[in-house]
Amino acid sequence: VRQFDVNETGDDEFWLASLEAELDVGAGSIVSSTSYFKRDTLDIEDSTRFVASRLGGRVRAAVGAPSITSQIQDEKRITQELRFVSEFDGPIDFIAGVFYQNVKTDGGFPPQSIIPTGSPAVLFGLAVGDSFFSLRQTVDSKEFGVFGEATWEMTPTLKLTGGGRYFSVKSD
């Protein structure tokens, strides 16, 4: 049961492009995989109960209008992987490669008014349009990695596989 019938809507749009190329070099293949991802989101929620819990239900009821919280986020992601996949005639094959990813996000909560325009006048020193909450967060994250895996065909029915990965992630 809600005090107000707020239309909680959302919008989630994304665009993804990828390209994979493979080059046969005799002893195996060199594979390049590149992708670009862009996503923009908007989420609108009825935050009346949350605001009432912070200011007291009677204050919220006296205002006579809902509190609405919106959250936005824009993300851009570039990913690149380059690997070699062997195809030897012997019992040992391997995969080795490098990985890179850059993710940039910008989003948060635009300033949220606890007393919407058109509501009754000042309550407890809060004026129409006063901001209750806001947050803006930007993140730039870069990841670099190297990886490898080797398989030894010990018998036609038994294979031994081992691998490893080193990676470094830095975020601002």
Side-chain angles (χ1 to χ4, degrees):
V1 177
R2 294 185 176 182
Q3 182 177 355
F4 302 101
D5 186 20
V6 173
N7 188 13
E8 295 178 305
T9 60
D11 188 36
D12 189 345
E13 297 179 7
F14 69 89
W15 191 80
L16 172 64
S18 63
L19 175 66
E20 186 168 305
E22 185 172 341
L23 177 64
D24 186 343
V25 292
S29 299
I30 297 174
V31 181
S32 174
S33 178
T34 307
S35 68
Y36 174 78
F37 178 71
K38 182 178 181 340
R39 182 178 186 189
D40 299 323
T41 61
L42 169 66
D43 184 33
I44 297 174
E45 299 289 335
D46 179 353
S47 57
T48 306
R49 289 187 66 115
F50 172 75
V51 172
S53 72
R54 299 302 178 255
L55 297 179
R58 292 187 181 173
V59 172
R60 194 67 237 156
V63 171
S67 290
I68 299 169
T69 304
S70 61
Q71 180 179 11
I72 58 171
Q73 181 146 336
D74 300 329
E75 176 182 334
K76 293 178 184 169
R77 179 182 304 250
I78 297 172
T79 307
Q80 173 65 50
E81 181 177 293
L82 184 65
R83 65 186 176 275
F84 175 76
V85 182
S86 74
E87 295 174 18
F88 299 135
D89 293 333
I92 296 177
D93 275 309
F94 71 92
I95 298 172
V98 294
F99 176 86
Y100 172 79
Q101 181 168 254
N102 186 341
V103 181
K104 293 182 180 185
T105 58
D106 183 17
F109 299 88
Q112 312 295 315
S113 176
I114 61 169
I115 304 176
T117 303
S119 296
V122 180
L123 295 171
F124 299 103
L126 300 171
V128 170
D130 276 355
S131 179
F132 176 68
F133 175 75
S134 69
L135 168 73
R136 177 155 185 202
Q137 184 176 26
T138 58
V139 178
D140 186 1
S141 177
K142 291 178 175 60
E143 179 178 351
F144 174 76
V146 293
F147 58 91
E149 174 184 292
T151 301
W152 174 32
E153 187 176 336
M154 299 167 64
T155 71
T157 58
L158 181 63
K159 293 180 181 179
L160 179 64
T161 301
R165 176 181 180 92
Y166 167 81
F167 65 93
S168 172
V169 179
K170 294 182 181 179
S171 293
D172 292 323

